[in-house]
């Protein structure tokens, strides 16, 4: 039976991610597209599919349920990622701890008999071998299943080969730790030693530490890079590791192995070439910035002819550069480089900050925009074929189509469910800073029929926009809260991406001050445009950075905010990941005053408003001790508050079986403290935005 409420649907669809085609790979000749997608909008077992561009027909290559022969169970895991050789003829993926290999067009995948559990399997470019990680060791097996052997074995449980924790900042497909040479004869790989990393501080309720993430001001894991000819002893790559302790990217292209290294203060980044024989490195490019050098996904990179692709922040614009020369115009903000095909570069960029478009650049073809219309666009291209994905206001997950010169567009089917909720929202531009905002009203509300309490539902931090042209689960959740009797306001303030480097860096040294000021400005400007908003009844809610922002709002601006729900927030900035937190605040030994100014524990005695604190006790992103220590500080000051701890729950509980109960708890808290009467969530129809 179809769900009747959005909360049920968020669980069924895992926040509307199921049934959406993703992780596209275009074959070398452009004739075949590989991708992952479930069979339905609530199918948790993503399958591997192939689309023939010429005929437009899809073919199922790997069905996890059939491969595991355990029946279609809601617990059956899907294929989360896969790797291919250069010709896209050999595919490898991990499933149920095993290594599976598929020859595209030649029958069913088969499970190879190797040491498990298997992680991150990668065929070499020739398709002859597959490298993978198991129990911290980097291993290689022949594609026919023979010759499984170790390339590098850890000597302690705190050492891992083939993984590198910070490479996800520049990689397009998550953190990577091993890379093949083009001829398949050598491997570049990382060795990560977690011995220096201090355990997370815990409280009794949180239990033992569950992660090896270094916190601000503490030692990082020791990451080195090595070269191996598989059967010979590995050779270390050498660079000034004292000055550049972060390895934030690496790879091996037609011009040789390379690495991207970063200083601890993140103000200098170097692109290094690596001698494949002796491991000596040469600096090919260096970037400096007095705040931090932004790490752009997909950069640095080299084109087929060897030209260097990087970025340059100049007069408020983040440009794509080719051998140091900007090739994108002023006002077009580079987002990511998605890949190169010879000397053609595929990338995303924003002119209007709420939209992201697909672009290409080539020395012969020039600069071209490949997408149009409001939306968040991205894609993949190779061999003259483009996969273009458009995520707009029509439905979660958007739509994908395959484009090839001289042929009609081919749609890639999506089975994403349509939300059981209409949107009743307006896009706004607020205040002298032209803050992008979205204001949701209850579907049953009529303008002028009486005052509405306001719920500020923002993120407000770096790396994540909330106000875009894309319909995602967070937008739908804001509408759900509106249906409970609130006007819900979401605003992207200073620090959020899409408006250029100057806007992003306005939070350098102060995570809360500018962001909170923008939320207050947006609230007052929205009320000026919509007098129905009751500024005498204003609440704020958020999660992660948004949770810290919600707590800061009632602690520092109780004149504006009258209640808050703060989920999984960082309350003491020393208790968050060093690489992310030091980017904005520097090292706590060098800038203790910045950390003190952003320490909500010091603000605890100032609480005068109702506050609900929530945290999952198995959160591996934000240490639960952040919330526990704020609660302890409030209790020590004799200040009442509510604390909800979620055993066995990680950083994002929305979409889990806890969803309905968790949201109900928040709504009851908000209604009680803002004097909002009960409402009944209506059953939904397909979503239509009034923005």
């Amino acid at each position: 039976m179809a769900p009747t409420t959005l909360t049920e649907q968020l669980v069924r669809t895992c926040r509307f991610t199921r049934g959406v085609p993703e992780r596209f790979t275009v074959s070398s000749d452009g004739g075949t597209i590989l991708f992952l997608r479930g069979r339905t909008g609530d199918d948790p077992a993503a399958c591997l599919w192939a689309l023939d561009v010429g005929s437009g027909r899809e073919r199922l290559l790997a069905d996890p349920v059939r491969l595991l022969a355990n029946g279609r169970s809601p617990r059956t895991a899907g294929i989360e990622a896969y790797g291919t050789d250069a010709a896209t003829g050999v595919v490898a993926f991990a499933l149920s701890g095993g290594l599976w290999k598929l020859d595209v067009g030649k029958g069913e995948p088969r499970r190879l008999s190797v040491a498990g559990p298997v992680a991150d399997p990668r065929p070499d470019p020739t398709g002859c071998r597959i490298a993978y990680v198991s129990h911290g060791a980097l291993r290689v097996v022949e594609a026919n299943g023979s010759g499984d052997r170790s390339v590098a074995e850890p000597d302690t449980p705190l050492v891992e080969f083939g993984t590198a924790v910070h490479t996800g900042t520049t990689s397009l497909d998550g953190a990577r730790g091993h890379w093949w040479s083009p001829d398949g004869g050598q491997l570049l790989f990382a060795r990560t030693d977690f011995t220096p990393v201090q355990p997370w501080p815990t409280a009794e309720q949180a239990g033992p530490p569950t992660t090896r993430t270094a916190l601000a001001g503490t030692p990082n894991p020791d990451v080195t890079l090595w070269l191996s000819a598989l059967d010979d002893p590995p050779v270390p790559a050498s660079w000034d590791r004292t000055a550049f302790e972060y390895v934030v990217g690496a790879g091996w292209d037609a011009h040789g192995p390379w690495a991207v290294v970063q200083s601890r203060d993140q103000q200098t980044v170097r692109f290094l070439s690596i001698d494949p024989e002796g491991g000596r490195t040469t600096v090919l490019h260096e970037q400096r910035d007095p705040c931090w050098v932004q790490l752009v996904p997909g950069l640095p990179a080299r084109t087929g002819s060897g030209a260097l692709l990087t970025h340059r922040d100049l007069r408020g614009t983040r440009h794509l550069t080719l051998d140091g020369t900007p090739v994108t115009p002023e006002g077009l903000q580079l987002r990511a480089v998605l890949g190169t095909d010879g000397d053609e570069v595929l990338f995303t960029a924003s002119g209007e900050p709420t939209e992201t478009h697909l672009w290409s650049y080539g020395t012969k073809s020039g600069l071209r925009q490949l997408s149009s219309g409001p939306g968040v666009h991205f894609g993949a291209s190779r061999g003259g074929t483009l996969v273009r994905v458009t995520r707009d206001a029509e439905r979660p997950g958007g739509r994908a189509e395959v484009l090839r010169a001289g042929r009609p567009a081919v749609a890639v089917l999506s089975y994403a469910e349509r939300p059981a909720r209409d949107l009743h929202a307006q896009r706004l531009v607020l205040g002298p800073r032209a803050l992008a905002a979205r204001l949701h009203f209850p579907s049953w509300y009529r303008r002028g029929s009486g005052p509405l309490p306001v719920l500020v539902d923002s993120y407000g931090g770096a790396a994540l926009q909330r106000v875009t042209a894309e319909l995602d689960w967070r937008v739908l959740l804001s509408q759900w809260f509106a249906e409970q009797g609130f006007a819900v306001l979401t605003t992207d303030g200073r620090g959020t991406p899409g408006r250029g480097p100057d806007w992003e860096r306005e939070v350098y040294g102060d995570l809360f001050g500018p962001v909170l000021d923008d939320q207050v400005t947006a609230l007052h400007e929205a009320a000026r445009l919509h007098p129905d908003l009751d500024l005498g009844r204003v609440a704020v809610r958020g999660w992660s950075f948004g949770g810290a922002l919600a707590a800061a709002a009632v602690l520092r601006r109780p004149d504006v905010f009258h209640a808050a729900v703060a989920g999984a927030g960082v309350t003491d900035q020393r208790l968050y990941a060093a690489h992310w937190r030091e980017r904005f605040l520097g090292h706590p030994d060098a800038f203790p005053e910045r950390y003190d100014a952003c320490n909500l524990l010091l603000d605890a005695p100032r609480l005068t408003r109702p506050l609900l604190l929530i945290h999952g006790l198995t959160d591996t992103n934000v240490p639960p001790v952040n919330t526990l220590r704020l609660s302890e500080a409030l209790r020590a000051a004799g200040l009442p508050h509510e604390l909800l701890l979620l055993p066995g729950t990680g950083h994002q509980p929305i979409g889990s079986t806890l969803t309905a109960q968790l949201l109900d708890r928040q709504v009851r808290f908000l209604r009680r403290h803002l004097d909002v009467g009960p409402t009944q969530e209506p059953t939904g129809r397909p979503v239509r935005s009034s923005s």
Side-chain angles (χ1 to χ4, degrees), residues 333-569:
Q333 307 293 348
L334 177 67
R335 295 282 197 146
V337 169
L338 304 180
T340 60
D341 189 8
D343 287 340
E344 287 285 326
V345 185
L346 184 70
F347 65 97
T348 55
S350 296
E352 154 61 42
T354 63
E355 300 177 10
T356 300
H357 283 280
L358 198 57
W359 294 77
S360 71
Y361 176 81
T363 52
K364 295 181 179 179
S365 58
L367 183 67
R368 296 180 296 153
Q369 184 171 337
L370 305 179
S371 58
S372 61
V376 174
H377 304 80
F378 62 96
S381 67
R382 197 177 178 202
T385 296
L386 171 69
V387 179
R388 183 173 63 197
V389 180
T390 299
R391 292 182 174 172
D392 54 20
E394 291 301 313
R395 64 186 299 174
R399 61 186 186 278
E401 55 186 347
V402 180
L403 306 173
R404 190 173 175 91
R407 297 181 181 273
V410 178
V412 184
L413 296 177
S414 173
Y415 302 130
E417 291 190 5
R418 291 194 174 275
R421 169 67 57 210
D422 284 351
L423 281 192
H424 298 269
Q426 299 178 8
R427 284 270 305 280
L428 302 174
V429 178
L430 300 173
R433 290 185 173 271
L435 301 169
R438 182 186 292 110
L439 182 60
H440 297 255
F441 289 97
S443 59
W444 41 262
Y445 189 77
R446 298 297 174 262
R447 189 164 184 167
S449 61
L452 272 177
V454 185
L455 177 60
V456 172
D457 184 23
S458 299
Y459 182 76
L464 178 65
Q465 287 175 271
R466 286 290 307 277
V467 184
T468 71
E470 176 185 0
L471 175 65
D472 66 10
W473 69 273
R474 296 177 180 86
V475 178
L476 294 164
L477 190 58
S478 292
Q479 184 62 46
W480 183 88
F481 274 100
E483 298 297 336
Q484 315 311 312
F486 305 93
V488 179
L489 178 66
T490 300
T491 305
D492 284 343
R494 280 170 282 182
T496 50
R499 290 185 61 163
D502 295 347
W503 183 263
E504 294 167 355
R505 288 178 171 84
E506 288 200 41
V507 298
Y508 182 68
D510 184 359
L511 290 174
F512 292 132
V515 173
L516 190 52
D517 287 347
D518 287 342
Q519 298 298 317
V520 173
T521 296
L523 175 65
H524 289 157
E525 287 294 311
R528 183 179 60 82
L529 296 174
H530 296 273
D532 290 353
L533 273 58
D534 185 354
L535 295 186
R537 293 185 294 163
V538 178
V540 55
R541 71 170 294 274
W543 208 266
S544 197
F545 182 88
L549 178 62
V554 290
L555 288 168
R556 299 184 176 187
R557 293 302 305 269
D559 57 316
V560 176
F561 300 98
H562 308 109
V565 175

Side-chain angles (χ1 to χ4, degrees), residues 12 44 71 97 99 109 156 166 201 217 256 284 509 515 618 668:
R12 275 169 44 93
L99 173 60
T156 79
H166 295 114
L284 299 180
V515 173
T618 56
R668 286 188 284 112

Side-chain angles (χ1 to χ4, degrees), residues 568-603:
V570 179
T571 60
D572 180 349
Q573 305 311 311
R574 293 173 177 84
L575 297 177
Y576 195 58
H579 190 243
W580 188 246
R581 190 50 74 238
E582 291 176 18
R583 175 179 300 183
F584 305 101
L585 298 182
H587 196 287
D589 291 348
F591 302 99
E593 72 284 356
R594 294 179 180 175
Y595 283 80
D596 290 343
C598 296
N599 190 341
L600 300 182
L601 304 183
L602 302 179
D603 292 315

Side-chain angles (χ1 to χ4, degrees), residues 95-345:
L95 180 65
S96 190
L99 173 60
W100 298 76
K101 180 246 185 176
L102 166 71
D103 292 307
V104 177
K106 297 180 182 179
E108 286 276 298
R110 71 183 185 98
R111 185 168 183 166
L112 304 184
S113 180
V114 300
V118 170
D120 197 20
R122 299 280 168 173
D124 80 75
T126 69
C128 295
R129 303 181 181 95
I130 301 170
Y132 67 97
V133 176
S134 179
H135 290 297
L138 178 63
R139 303 183 64 85
V140 169
V141 63
E142 300 298 312
N144 63 10
S146 66
D148 182 34
R149 67 236 191 235
S150 172
V151 174
E153 286 276 355
D155 50 3
T156 79
L158 293 177
V159 170
E160 293 181 4
F161 286 99
T163 60
V165 291
H166 295 114
T167 54
T169 52
T170 59
S171 173
L172 295 169
D173 56 356
R176 296 281 310 282
H178 57 283
W179 305 268
W180 283 103
S181 62
D183 65 2
Q186 287 181 273
L187 275 166
L188 171 68
F189 62 89
R191 176 187 187 271
T192 302
D193 184 355
F194 290 96
T195 303
V197 179
Q198 300 173 7
W200 277 8
T202 63
E204 183 178 350
Q205 300 99 315
T210 57
T211 184
R212 297 173 179 173
T213 301
L215 300 179
T218 68
N220 277 306
D222 182 23
V223 181
T224 52
L225 292 175
W226 299 74
L227 294 146
S228 173
L230 304 185
D231 296 320
D232 297 328
V235 175
S238 59
W239 72 93
D240 186 351
R241 292 175 49 241
T242 301
F244 295 90
E245 65 180 84
Y246 285 120
V247 177
V248 293
W252 201 321
D253 59 19
H255 312 287
W258 52 267
V260 186
V261 296
Q262 182 186 50
S263 59
R264 176 81 188 230
D265 64 12
Q266 305 189 43
Q267 295 175 358
T268 308
V269 171
R270 286 180 173 176
F271 183 49
L272 309 175
S273 67
I274 305 174
D275 176 7
E277 300 299 326
R280 184 176 60 88
T281 61
T282 302
V283 179
L284 299 180
H285 183 72
E286 181 176 280
Q287 293 172 278
R288 293 179 179 270
D289 189 274
C291 297
W292 73 84
V293 175
Q294 184 71 20
L295 298 173
V296 175
L299 289 180
R302 291 180 285 200
T303 66
S305 61
L308 178 63
L309 292 166
T310 184
H311 76 277
R312 184 180 178 189
D313 293 344
L314 183 64
R315 292 188 294 275
T317 297
R318 178 160 296 133
H319 296 271
L320 175 67
T321 65
L322 183 70
D323 282 337
T325 301
V327 296
T328 51
E330 184 175 348
L332 184 64
Q333 307 293 348
L334 177 67
R335 295 282 197 146
V337 169
L338 304 180
T340 60
D341 189 8
D343 287 340
E344 287 285 326
V345 185

